[in-house]
C-alpha cells in the first residue's frame, strides 16, 4: 500500500513509518518539523536501508495536500501530526484547536476530495477523563478531558464519527494510546522532547544521564499501592505494530472503530524510577512534590478488544521499555540535535 504518515518525523510516527517500510509498504511522510528533526528519517534509512519520501508541510495547507494526493497515489492515511504538550495547551488553547482540530478537518477534506477513505487517528486515553472504572475499556463513556489538548483529541474523534456516518466509504480506526515510552532497540531512534520533558520517562532518563538533577514525583498521597500515580506504559514498537494491525482490520470494516492501545498493566511512578535505575545502573534522585493539577490517580487499559479484533497484544514488558529508553538516551544525550 501507499501510506501517508502525517507527523511521521515525530516519536510514534517515525517508529511506525519504519515498521510500515519493513512490512513492504511505500511511505510518504508529511511533517512541518515543529517538534522534530529530519535526522530521524536518516536513522530509519541507516536501520533498514530505505527511507520514506519526505514532504515538509503543514496539515492545514489544503493546496499542498491536494498536490500531495495528486502526486502520490495514497491508499491510506495514518494521522499522527499534532501538538501534544498538556500545559502548553492550557496556555495556548487556540493554537491547539487550530493545529489539532482544524488541521485534522483540512486533512479529512483533502482525503475525501482525493477519494482516500482509509484513515487511522492517534487519539489518547486522555479522552476518558476521570474514568469511573478501571481497567478502562472502549465501552467506558468518554469523559471530560481536563485540558484543551485532551478536548482537541475528543473533538477530532467526534468529527471522525460524524464523517464515518455521512459516507459508507470511510474506514476509520481511532487508536487511544495509553502512555507510549521506550525506543527502537538499536538506540538510533527514540523520543526527543523539546526543552524540559513534561512526561515521566523522558524526565527520568534525563536525570539518569545527568542532564537534570532530580525528578519531582507529583504526589504520594493518591489511593494507589505506594501513593504515586499509576499509568499503563506501552513500548513504542508495540504501538507501531498495532497501527499495521489496525490498517489490516480496516480491510474488513467500514465506519469508525475505537481501539485502546495499552498493556493492561499499570506501574506507579516509584516503580518506574526503580525499574529505570535497574536498567541503567544509574541513580535517579527524586523528591516528593505536590500533585500536578489535572492528574488522576490511576489509568490503565483493558486491551482485550484490540487483542480480539486486531490480533494484537503488547509483547514488550517494562524491562525492555526501560532498557531501550536508556540505550537511546545514553547514545543520544542531546537527542537528534
Ligand atoms: P511528536 O511531537 O513527537 O510527533 C508529532 C509530529 O507532528 C511532529 O513531528 C510534529 O513536527 C508534527 N506536526 C505537528 N503539527 C503539525 C502540523 N500542523 N502539520 C504537520 N506536522 C505537524 O508526538 P508523538 O508523541 O509522536 O505523538 C504522535 C501523535 O500521538 C500525536 O497526535 C499525539 O497527540 C498522539 N499521542 C501521543 C501520546 C504520547 O504520550 N506521546 C499519547 C497519546 C496520543
Ligand atoms: C505519568 C505519571 C505524573 C512527570 C500525559 C498526557 C496524556 C498522554 C500521555 C498524549 C503521572 C507522574 C510525571 C514528572 C511525575 N499524552 N510524573 N513527575 O500525565 O499520564 O499523560 O502523557 O496524549 O494526554 O496527559 O503522563 O508521563 O506526564 O505522567 O511524578 O516529572 O508520572 O504525575 O502520575 P500522563 P506523564
Amino acid at each position: 500500500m501507499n501510506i501517508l504518515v502525517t507527523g511521521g518525523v515525530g516519536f510514534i510516527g517515525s517508529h511506525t513509518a519504519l515498521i510500515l517500510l519493513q512490512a513492504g509498504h511505500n511511505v510518504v511522510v508529511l511533517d512541518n518539523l515543529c517538534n522534530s528533526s529530519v535526522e530521524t528519517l536518516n536513522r530509519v534509512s541507516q536501520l533498514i536501508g530505505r527511507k520514506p519520501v519526505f514532504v515538509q508541510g503543514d496539515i492545514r495547507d489544503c493546496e499542498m495536500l491536494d498536490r500531495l494526493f495528486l502526486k502520490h497515489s495514497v491508499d491510506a492515511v495514518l494521522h499522527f501530526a499534532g501538538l501534544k504538550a498538556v500545559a502548553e495547551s492550557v496556555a495556548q488553547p487556540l493554537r491547539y484547536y487550530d493545529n489539532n482540530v482544524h488541521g485534522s478537518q483540512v486533512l479529512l477534506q483533502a482525503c475525501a476530495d482525493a477519494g482516500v477513505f482509509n484513515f487511522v487517528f492517534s487519539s489518547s486515553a486522555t479522552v476518558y477523563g476521570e474514568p469511573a472504572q478501571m481497567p478502562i475499556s472502549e465501552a467506558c463513556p468518554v469523559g471530560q478531558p481536563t485540558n484543551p489538548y485532551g478536548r482537541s483529541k475528543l473533538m477530532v474523534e467526534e468529527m471522525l464519527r460524524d464523517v464515518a456516518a455521512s459516507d459508507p466509504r470511510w474506514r476509520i480506526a481511532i487508536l487511544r494510546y495509553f502512555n507510549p515510552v521506550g525506543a527502537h532497540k538499536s538506540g538510533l531512534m527514540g523520543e526527543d522532547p523539546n526543552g524540559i520533558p513534561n512526561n515521566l520517562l523522558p524526565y527520568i532518563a534525563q536525570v539518569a544521564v545527568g542532564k537534570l538533577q532530580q525528578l519531582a514525583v507529583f504526589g504520594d498521597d493518591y489511593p494507589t499501592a505506594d501513593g504515586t500515580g499509576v499509568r499503563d506504559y506501552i513500548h513504542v514498537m508495540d504501538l507501531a505494530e498495532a497501527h499495521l494491525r489496525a490498517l489490516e482490520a480496516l480491510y474488513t470494516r467500514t465506519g469508525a472503530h475505537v481501539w485502546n492501545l495499552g498493556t493492561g498493566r499499570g506501574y506507579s511512578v516509584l516503580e518506574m524510577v526503580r525499574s529505570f535505575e535497574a536498567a541503567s545502573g544509574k541513580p535517579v534522585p527524586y523528591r516528593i512534590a505536590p500533585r500536578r493539577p489535572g492528574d488522576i490517580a490511576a489509568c490503565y487499559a483493558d486491551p482485550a478488544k484490540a487483542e480480539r479484533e486486531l490480533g494484537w497484544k503488547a509483547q514488550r514488558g517494562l524491562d525492555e521499555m526501560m532498557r531501550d529508553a536508556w540505550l537511546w538516551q545514553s547514545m543520544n544525550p542531546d537527542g537528534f540535535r
Side-chain angles (χ1 to χ4, degrees):
M1 282 217 273
N2 296 330
I3 301 171
L4 172 64
V5 180
T6 75
V9 186
F11 173 43
I12 307 168
S14 60
H15 288 79
T16 307
L18 176 113
I19 295 243
L20 294 171
L21 288 167
Q22 280 180 315
H25 295 294
N26 298 315
V27 177
V28 177
V29 161
L30 170 66
D31 202 301
N32 66 2
L33 303 181
C34 70
N35 196 37
S36 51
S37 154
V38 270
E39 171 59 16
T40 315
L41 301 183
N42 297 333
R43 303 285 175 97
V44 170
S45 147
Q46 201 177 326
L47 279 167
I48 59 169
R50 273 185 79 197
K51 206 174 171 173
V53 172
F54 175 56
V55 177
Q56 183 169 349
D58 196 294
I59 51 166
R60 291 164 295 183
D61 181 347
C62 52
E63 283 164 17
M64 178 277 301
L65 286 173
D66 291 344
R67 285 196 303 276
L68 186 155
F69 281 116
L70 213 56
K71 180 162 177 196
H72 305 279
S73 85
V74 173
D75 301 301
V77 175
L78 265 54
H79 177 32
F80 295 92
L83 300 174
K84 62 164 183 177
V86 169
E88 190 180 69
S89 80
V90 174
Q92 304 171 23
L94 295 177
R95 185 170 159 235
Y96 271 67
Y97 291 124
D98 180 43
N99 198 80
N100 293 3
V101 182
H102 172 62
S104 299
Q105 181 201 339
V106 172
L107 176 65
L108 283 163
Q109 184 64 60
C111 288
D113 292 345
V116 178
F117 293 102
N118 298 316
F119 197 91
V120 179
F121 175 59
S122 300
S123 189
S124 168
T126 197
V127 301
Y128 292 112
E130 181 110 44
Q133 69 185 73
M134 206 60 66
I136 307 173
S137 82
E138 296 82 349
C140 291
V142 289
Q144 300 272 342
T146 52
N147 53 73
Y149 165 73
R151 282 188 280 280
S152 77
K153 288 286 162 191
L154 193 50
M155 285 178 194
V156 177
E157 284 202 5
E158 302 288 8
M159 186 155 57
L160 290 168
R161 282 186 272 272
D162 287 341
V163 157
S166 74
D167 185 329
R169 287 175 295 178
W170 284 101
R171 296 165 184 266
I172 297 175
I174 295 171
L175 303 181
R176 292 181 181 154
Y177 311 157
F178 280 66
N179 288 60
V181 296
H184 189 267
K185 66 178 181 203
S186 63
L188 287 177
M189 295 170 62
E191 188 171 6
D192 183 16
N194 261 335
I196 299 195
N198 305 303
N199 293 117
L200 179 65
L201 196 65
Y203 202 106
I204 290 180
Q206 293 198 13
V207 172
V209 86
K211 285 183 76 179
L212 295 170
Q213 274 195 325
Q214 192 182 49
L215 172 73
V217 175
F218 297 141
D220 67 348
D221 56 354
Y222 284 106
T224 60
D226 64 18
T228 65
V230 167
R231 296 290 183 275
D232 185 339
Y233 298 93
I234 173 163
H235 197 295
V236 65
M237 293 302 287
D238 278 323
L239 205 57
E241 284 160 11
H243 289 73
L244 256 185
R245 301 284 91 79
L247 268 178
E248 289 159 8
L250 293 181
Y251 296 161
T252 54
R253 284 175 177 78
T254 59
H257 304 270
V258 177
W259 287 288
N260 280 344
L261 297 181
T263 65
R265 166 88 210 260
Y267 290 97
S268 75
V269 176
L270 294 182
E271 284 176 308
M272 294 294 281
V273 169
R274 281 192 289 274
S275 171
F276 200 88
E277 287 181 327
S280 64
K282 302 280 179 192
V284 177
Y286 68 86
R287 69 185 165 85
I288 304 298
R291 291 183 180 193
R292 184 172 64 179
D295 272 357
I296 55 177
C299 173
Y300 50 94
D302 175 349
K305 185 169 184 254
E307 184 171 2
R308 203 170 54 243
E309 297 182 355
L310 305 182
W312 170 90
K313 190 173 189 265
Q315 301 296 323
R316 296 160 180 88
L318 195 60
D319 291 350
E320 210 168 333
M321 299 181 212
M322 297 305 191
R323 187 196 67 203
D324 294 342
W326 173 242
L327 187 63
W328 156 253
Q329 182 67 67
S330 52
M331 281 172 63
N332 308 269
D334 296 315
F336 289 110
R337 280 159 275 263

